[in-house]
């Protein structure tokens, strides 16, 4: 869904992960979707492949990336892509979206990103992939996909 208004509360000691809560309301319809990844990421990785509906004419796929907390030194950075596959083994992977890289310096403006995909595709498998850099980097993230 698209959050129209809400509040976010966070706080904690310097140098630790920041606990956060959020209350969000939407004035639009909620799309069906799948939570792909939720948790701590410390190295590059391929997310779990999920079965997805083909994106047909008139449908929209929504991708969501939420970077909730970052720790590490030497500019810890996470870059996330979403890709699809017709056969599910990703030798035929097509990158459908690349999110803007998130760092501690831009988490306030880029920590929550949304992409809207409308190009039709018959691919029925999707996953998120990420690269991570920095010294001892750690990210708490949530990645999800929905279709309406």
């Amino acid at each position: 869904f698209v959050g129209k208004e809400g509040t976010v509360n966070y706080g904690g000691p310097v140098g630790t992960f920041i606990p956060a809560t959020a209350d969000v309301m939407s004035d639009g319809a909620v799309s069906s979707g799948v939570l792909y990844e939720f948790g701590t990421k410390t190295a590059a990785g391929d997310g779990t492949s999920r079965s997805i509906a083909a994106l047909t004419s008139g449908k929209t796929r929504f991708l969501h990336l939420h970077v909730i907390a970052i720790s590490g030194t030497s500019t810890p950075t996470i870059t996330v892509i979403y890709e699809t596959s017709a056969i599910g083994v990703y030798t035929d992977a097509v990158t459908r979206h690349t999110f803007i890289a998130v760092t501690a310096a831009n988490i306030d403006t880029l920590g929550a990103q949304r992409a809207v995909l409308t190009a039709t595709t018959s691919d029925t498998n999707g996953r998120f992939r990420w690269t991570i850099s920095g010294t001892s980097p750690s990210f708490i993230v949530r990645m999800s996909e929905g279709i309406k």
Side-chain angles (χ1 to χ4, degrees):
F1 70 92
V2 180
K4 295 299 182 181
E5 66 178 78
T7 59
V8 176
N9 301 302
Y10 58 91
V14 174
T16 64
F17 282 116
I18 300 172
T21 61
D23 297 308
V24 182
M25 293 183 291
S26 174
D27 66 358
V30 175
S31 61
S32 63
V34 175
L35 177 62
Y36 280 71
E37 304 293 331
F38 181 67
T40 302
K41 306 298 180 198
T42 58
D46 297 339
T48 303
S49 179
R50 307 276 189 208
S51 293
I52 59 173
L55 194 58
T56 57
S57 180
K59 296 288 186 181
T60 303
R61 187 174 313 282
F62 298 96
L63 306 175
H64 299 272
L65 168 64
H66 296 268
V67 179
I68 301 162
I70 298 174
S71 69
T73 59
S74 301
T75 314
T77 304
I78 187 168
T79 303
V80 177
I81 68 166
Y82 178 79
E83 63 187 6
T84 62
S85 167
I87 59 176
V89 294
Y90 296 90
T91 55
D92 65 336
V94 176
T95 298
R96 300 295 176 179
H97 184 74
T98 302
F99 291 93
I100 299 170
V102 180
T103 67
N106 68 18
I107 191 171
D108 289 341
T109 55
L110 295 175
Q113 297 181 47
R114 175 177 181 251
V116 178
L117 307 180
T118 57
T120 60
T121 176
S122 59
D123 290 355
T124 55
N125 300 277
R127 73 176 179 187
F128 289 87
R129 296 181 69 207
W130 54 92
T131 57
I132 289 178
S133 62
T135 302
S136 300
S138 184
F139 302 83
I140 297 177
V141 299
R142 178 175 95 49
M143 302 171 201
S144 59
E145 171 268 338
I147 194 166
K148 179 179 175 187

